[in-house]
Amino acid sequence: MAAAAQPLRLAVEDADDLKSISALLQDAVLTVGDMAYLKKARRFALVLNRFRWEAGGTGKGTRVRSGLHIENVMKVEARGIPQDAKATVLSLLALTFEPGEDGQGTLTFAFSAGKALRLHVEALDATLTDL
C-alpha cells in the first residue's frame, strides 16, 4: 500500500511560484459561494477541491479540499461569474500573473466557459494550504 500524500502548504511570491500553484490547481472545482473578498483586510480567499496531482498514480487519484488566500488585494473584477448564484460551480483552468509597476500586477483566475476573475494586487503574496 502506497503512503498517503502529505498535505501541501505552499507560498507564492513571484510568477515562477505561481506557475507551480497553477499546475497543482488545474481542474480544481469550487462554487461561487466558496470565494470571499475581505475588502478591509485586502484579502481574497477561496476553498476548492483540487486533484492531488503530486500523488502520481494511474488515474486513480484523489481530490483534496484546499484553501488559497491572496494578500494585498486592491480590487476584484469578475467576468461571467454570477455573484448572487452561490451554488454555481466553477472549474479552474489556470492562474496567471501580469506584472505592473513597482511590484503591482493582476492575478487572473481563468475558469472554463470563458469565466474569469481578476485580482489587482499591490504585490504577489498568496498561500495554498491543504485542509
Side-chain angles (χ1 to χ4, degrees):
M1 181 175 201
Q6 295 296 313
L8 290 180
R9 180 169 173 82
L10 301 173
V12 177
E13 296 177 351
D14 59 34
D16 287 334
D17 293 342
L18 187 66
K19 289 177 186 175
S20 297
I21 297 292
S22 180
L24 290 168
L25 294 179
Q26 182 180 353
D27 298 328
V29 293
L30 67 152
T31 65
V32 172
D34 290 330
M35 300 185 292
Y37 177 39
L38 309 170
K39 192 171 185 174
K40 285 186 179 180
R42 295 178 48 181
R43 173 183 282 176
F44 187 85
L46 54 94
V47 178
L48 39 76
N49 293 312
R50 71 175 188 86
F51 186 75
R52 199 183 294 255
W53 294 108
E54 71 278 9
T58 58
K60 294 183 180 182
T62 60
R63 287 202 176 259
V64 63
R65 195 88 166 135
S66 300
L68 177 64
H69 66 86
I70 298 95
E71 305 295 336
N72 307 307
V73 178
M74 299 179 294
K75 181 180 174 182
V76 176
E77 299 172 328
R79 181 181 71 218
I81 300 174
Q83 302 302 300
D84 58 344
K86 302 294 184 191
T88 300
V89 176
L90 302 170
S91 179
L92 184 62
L93 301 176
L95 294 169
T96 57
F97 183 71
E98 184 178 321
E101 295 181 19
D102 298 328
Q104 294 184 6
T106 304
L107 175 61
T108 301
F109 290 73
F111 297 101
S112 62
K115 295 175 170 74
L117 194 63
R118 292 171 47 98
L119 278 57
H120 299 274
V121 297
E122 189 172 55
L124 188 55
D125 181 5
T127 304
L128 173 68
T129 307
D130 285 348
L131 306 174

